[in-house]
Amino acid sequence: MPAIAKARIAILATTGFEQSELEVPQKKLKEAGASVDVISLKEGEIMGWQMKDWGRPVKVDKTLGSVKPSDYDALVLPGGVINPDLLRVEPAAINFIKEFHATGKPLAAVCHAPWLLVEAGLIKGKRATSYKSIRTDLINAGAKWEDSAVVHDGNIITSRQPSDLDAFTAAIVEAVEGRGTTHRTAAE
């Protein structure tokens, strides 16, 4: 059985996530066999942003306070402008990202979500990409910015925009497969 079929993957988001940047990885990772939890600050639903207006709500599976990095084999950070801007001022979200990064497991951020990597102090000296409007933010934080669909440096995977989501999700699957999984249930 491929490692991705045993993997537990967290998607950390709040209201204002770019609709496709949460839903496409969620769908493709589930299709690959992974268990995927949407994690947010509060229970209930979070509202997506669809290009230029509000999108659809997505159910929150777990709250940030109820999970720990060891529960998951990969962490996905969707973009949109609003979502990462709200999360980067939440100490619990930044601490979770820092703690997750320390595990060495795949940490994937798309579009504006690399702002969270900047806030967590994880981007300095790393090759990375992002949506073009935050390129200077990443460079100022010490990243070696590239205009590529996906950049993988260490355990950090970054991607530019919705049109790169197939490559982004494939890189997450490949990274999880390359590590195997570390999560085990009580039944195993």
Side-chain angles (χ1 to χ4, degrees), residues 132-156:
K132 61 188 174 188
S133 67
I134 67 166
R135 172 183 182 254
T136 302
D137 297 347
L138 268 66
I139 291 169
N140 288 342
K144 299 170 189 165
W145 194 88
E146 299 177 16
D147 186 13
S148 301
V150 175
V151 175
H152 194 164
D153 189 343
N155 67 316
I156 295 178

Side-chain angles (χ1 to χ4, degrees), residues 4-174:
I4 193 70
K6 295 186 266 182
R8 290 194 61 203
I9 298 177
I11 298 177
L12 176 59
T14 193
T15 290
F17 63 88
E18 181 64 42
Q19 200 81 46
S20 63
E21 292 173 2
L22 186 149
E23 291 180 341
V24 170
Q26 179 187 42
K27 178 178 184 272
K28 289 184 175 289
L29 291 166
K30 283 182 176 181
E31 287 172 354
S35 170
V36 181
D37 288 337
V38 173
I39 298 169
S40 194
L41 304 169
K42 298 175 186 169
E43 294 178 344
E45 294 179 332
I46 52 177
M47 183 64 72
W49 185 260
Q50 184 85 30
M51 306 293 270
K52 297 181 183 200
D53 203 354
W54 291 105
R56 298 175 299 284
V58 169
K59 180 185 175 295
V60 172
D61 298 306
K62 309 251 183 194
T63 61
L64 192 54
S66 71
V67 297
K68 53 191 181 296
S70 60
D71 294 338
Y72 297 97
D73 300 297
L75 174 59
V76 178
L77 305 172
V81 177
I82 300 167
N83 170 60
D85 197 43
L86 292 174
L87 287 176
R88 69 182 174 164
V89 297
E90 291 291 337
I94 298 306
N95 288 336
F96 186 82
I97 293 165
K98 285 180 184 178
E99 290 171 13
F100 195 90
H101 179 263
T103 69
K105 295 182 274 190
L107 172 55
V110 60
C111 191
H112 285 73
W115 267 342
L116 296 166
L117 304 178
V118 169
E119 192 64 35
L122 304 177
I123 207 75
K124 187 174 184 177
K126 296 283 188 183
R127 292 174 40 251
T129 194
S130 65
Y131 191 69
K132 61 188 174 188
S133 67
I134 67 166
R135 172 183 182 254
T136 302
D137 297 347
L138 268 66
I139 291 169
N140 288 342
K144 299 170 189 165
W145 194 88
E146 299 177 16
D147 186 13
S148 301
V150 175
V151 175
H152 194 164
D153 189 343
N155 67 316
I156 295 178
I157 301 165
T158 52
S159 199
R160 298 175 300 196
Q161 57 206 10
S163 62
D164 298 329
L165 287 171
D166 286 344
F168 178 65
T169 306
I172 297 165
V173 170
E174 183 179 313

